[in-house]
């Protein structure tokens, strides 16, 4: 545990040093995210904050993890480097959605084939156990793509993606530490430490954004390790104290906010006849901002919602995966319905909020017309 702490602290300190340097460099070479009608920030802000996060992680890991213990995990680390480079390319020169998807699929295939991180079965869900290799491949790739891009989609307000990332990585890192997988545990905690330092500069008002460079890197790490967690946990003996009975439900609970918000906006876009990949302002964080919440308050509300849904998954472990999943999704739908009712009643536009702030007046929530 001491080396875990040191790895986390090393990544934290390196990121704490590198992020302000990155901010100055990005400003000097004009790598800035400009505001527009859809984006929520009002001034040009340095992006690509994922670079100091990545550098901090990959300096910390070699210091505390001997190369001799990497095993097949070296392919996971190599894939993390590749997804990071894909994010850098997308931030510098925006990739078309299909090109980004192709890149993610190729990187996902590398993890599946070389690191052997995949769903070996459906673990009894719907009565299905063993999967043919092609089905394992398709389901695992789909999971990689969904989780990776879900983190990219929630990176819309200051501190949100980073906060959720720390929560999920903390849980997974602790579980794999207890399981005895040193490399995965160190990767989780080092990444969480780097994100924590980054949040110091990304909290409202953000001095830097993580960009696709950061959100795809963090999302992909979480996607791969979540799949590894689900498969590894299933094959543990029942007597093992770290075995989680409804492990699929637990994984969904951990990722409830990014997963539910992604499903929600995709359904809304489809109902309007739009492509699921069309950017809009229908995310949960947009709804909270329109109700007068600040970025900071919105982040706390959504983080606590994610933790609450994880709590539902944890408390219903003895119910089995299907019933536990049903209760997690039902709870998420109830929270969404509550937000919808409050949003209709207390909606205030972003422009109204900005005007009120400029006049130095306190914003009161009022009924929308």
């Amino acid at each position: 545990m001491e080396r875990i702490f040191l790895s986390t602290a090393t990544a934290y300190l390196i990121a704490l040093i590198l992020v302000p340097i990155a901010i100055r460099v990005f400003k000097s070479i004009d790598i800035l995210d400009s505001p527009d009608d859809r984006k929520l920030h009002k001034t040009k802000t340095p992006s690509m904050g994922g670079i100091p996060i990545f550098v901090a992680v990959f300096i910390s890991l070699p210091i505390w993890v001997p190369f001799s213990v990497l095993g097949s995990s070296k392919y996971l680390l190599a894939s993390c480097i590749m997804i990071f480079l894909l994010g850098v390319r997308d931030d510098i020169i925006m990739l078309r959605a299909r090109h980004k998807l192709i890149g993610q699929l190729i990187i996902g295939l590398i993890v599946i084939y070389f690191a052997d991180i995949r769903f070996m079965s459906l673990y009894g869900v719907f009565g299905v156990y063993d999967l043919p290799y092609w089905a394992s491949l398709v389901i695992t790739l789909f999971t990689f793509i969904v989780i990776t891009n879900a983190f990219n989609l929630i990176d819309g307000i200051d501190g949100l993606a980073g906060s959720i990332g720390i929560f999920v990585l903390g849980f997974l890192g602790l579980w794999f530490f207890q399981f005895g997988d040193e490399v995965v545990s160190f990767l989780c905690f080092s990444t969480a430490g780097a994100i924590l330092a980054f949040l110091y500069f990304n909290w409202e008002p953000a001095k830097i954004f993580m960009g696709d460079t950061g959100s795809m890197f963090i999302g992909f790490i979480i996607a791969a390790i979540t799949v590894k967690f689900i498969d590894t946990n299933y094959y543990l003996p029942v007597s093992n104290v770290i075995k989680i009975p409804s492990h699929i439900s637990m994984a969904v609970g951990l990722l409830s906010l990014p997963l539910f918000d992604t499903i929600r906006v995709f359904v809304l876009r489809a109902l309007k006849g739009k492509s699921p990949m069309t950017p809009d302002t229908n995310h949960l964080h947009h709804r909270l901002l329109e109700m007068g919440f600040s970025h900071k308050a919105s982040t706390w509300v959504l983080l606590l919602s994610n933790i609450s849904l994880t709590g539902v998954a944890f408390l219903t472990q003895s119910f089995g995966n299907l019933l536990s999943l049903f209760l997690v999704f039902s709870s998420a739908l109830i929270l969404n319905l509550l937000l919808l009712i409050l949003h209709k009643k207390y909606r205030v536009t972003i422009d109204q909020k900005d005007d009120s702030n400029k006049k130095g007046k306190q914003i009161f929530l009022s009924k929308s017309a």
Side-chain angles (χ1 to χ4, degrees), residues 6 8 21 54 98 197 208 210 283 350 361:
L6 291 171
T8 307
I21 295 174
F54 170 84
R98 67 173 179 272
I208 187 171
M210 65 170 62
H283 290 280
I350 301 298
K361 296 180 180 179

Side-chain angles (χ1 to χ4, degrees), residues 62-189:
I63 293 174
W64 300 107
V65 181
F67 185 80
S68 59
V69 304
L70 288 181
S72 61
S73 293
K74 62 179 176 285
Y75 299 111
L76 171 60
L77 298 180
S79 299
C80 290
I81 295 172
M82 286 186 279
I83 201 75
F84 164 75
L85 294 175
L86 182 68
V88 171
R89 170 63 170 78
D90 190 41
D91 276 337
I92 295 175
I93 304 174
M94 186 177 292
L95 290 166
R96 292 184 178 180
R98 67 173 179 272
H99 294 157
K100 189 191 299 187
L101 177 61
I102 290 169
Q104 292 172 350
L105 288 171
I106 292 171
I107 296 167
L109 285 170
I110 292 171
V111 173
I112 292 170
Y113 184 79
F114 290 102
D116 200 29
I117 295 176
R118 61 187 177 91
F119 292 124
M120 303 292 185
S121 81
L122 280 188
Y123 315 105
V125 176
F126 304 117
V128 179
Y129 289 88
D130 292 337
L131 289 172
Y133 186 79
W134 67 266
S136 169
L137 189 73
V138 170
I139 295 171
T140 305
L141 277 176
F142 177 76
T143 303
F144 283 168
I145 297 302
V146 169
I147 296 176
T148 300
N149 288 292
F151 266 85
N152 182 260
L153 289 172
I154 66 166
D155 185 30
I157 59 172
D158 302 341
L160 180 57
S163 299
I164 300 294
I166 290 173
F167 172 68
V168 178
L169 288 166
F171 176 91
L172 293 172
L174 183 60
W175 191 90
F176 276 102
F177 173 77
Q178 293 176 310
F179 173 70
D181 193 323
E182 191 175 66
V183 179
V184 171
S185 181
F186 273 70
L187 177 60
C188 288
F189 281 113

Side-chain angles (χ1 to χ4, degrees), residues 7-8 10-15 18 50-65 77 80-81 84 169 183-196 217-218 221:
S7 173
T8 307
T10 301
Y12 174 84
L13 290 172
I14 292 171
L18 291 180
I51 292 179
I53 295 175
F54 170 84
V55 173
V57 171
F58 276 84
I59 289 178
S60 175
L61 282 176
I63 293 174
W64 300 107
V65 181
L77 298 180
C80 290
I81 295 172
F84 164 75
L169 288 166
V183 179
V184 171
S185 181
F186 273 70
L187 177 60
C188 288
F189 281 113
S190 294
T191 307
I195 297 170
L196 184 61
F217 173 65
I218 295 167
I221 290 174

Side-chain angles (χ1 to χ4, degrees), residues 265-277:
V265 295
F266 277 20
V267 169
L268 289 174
R269 290 169 188 174
L271 290 174
K272 293 179 180 179
K274 297 180 179 179
S275 165
M277 303 309 295

Side-chain angles (χ1 to χ4, degrees), residues 276-340:
M277 303 309 295
T278 304
D280 57 28
T281 57
N282 283 318
H283 290 280
L284 292 172
H285 54 262
H286 289 118
R287 294 291 177 259
L288 289 171
L289 292 174
E290 288 172 355
M291 290 165 59
F293 285 86
S294 65
H295 283 232
K296 186 184 300 183
S298 299
T299 294
W300 277 116
V301 168
L302 295 173
L303 175 61
L304 291 173
S305 297
N306 196 110
I307 294 172
S308 298
L309 292 172
T310 304
V312 172
F314 178 77
L315 293 172
T316 58
Q317 282 298 293
S318 61
F319 295 2
N321 273 309
L322 278 179
L323 181 54
S324 182
L325 280 170
F326 172 77
L327 292 172
V328 170
F329 274 102
S330 297
S331 300
L333 286 171
I334 291 170
L335 287 175
N336 181 64
L337 180 61
L338 177 63
L339 177 60
L340 180 63

Side-chain angles (χ1 to χ4, degrees), residues 229-274:
F229 158 72
I230 291 172
D231 191 68
T232 304
N233 181 88
Y234 177 74
Y235 292 104
L236 290 176
V238 176
S239 58
N240 195 306
V241 294
I242 69 167
K243 185 179 177 69
I244 296 177
S246 301
H247 57 312
I248 297 175
S249 171
M250 194 68 201
V252 171
L254 283 169
L255 298 166
S256 52
L257 174 69
L259 290 179
F260 184 77
D261 192 42
T262 299
I263 293 170
R264 178 181 167 279
V265 295
F266 277 20
V267 169
L268 289 174
R269 290 169 188 174
L271 290 174
K272 293 179 180 179
K274 297 180 179 179

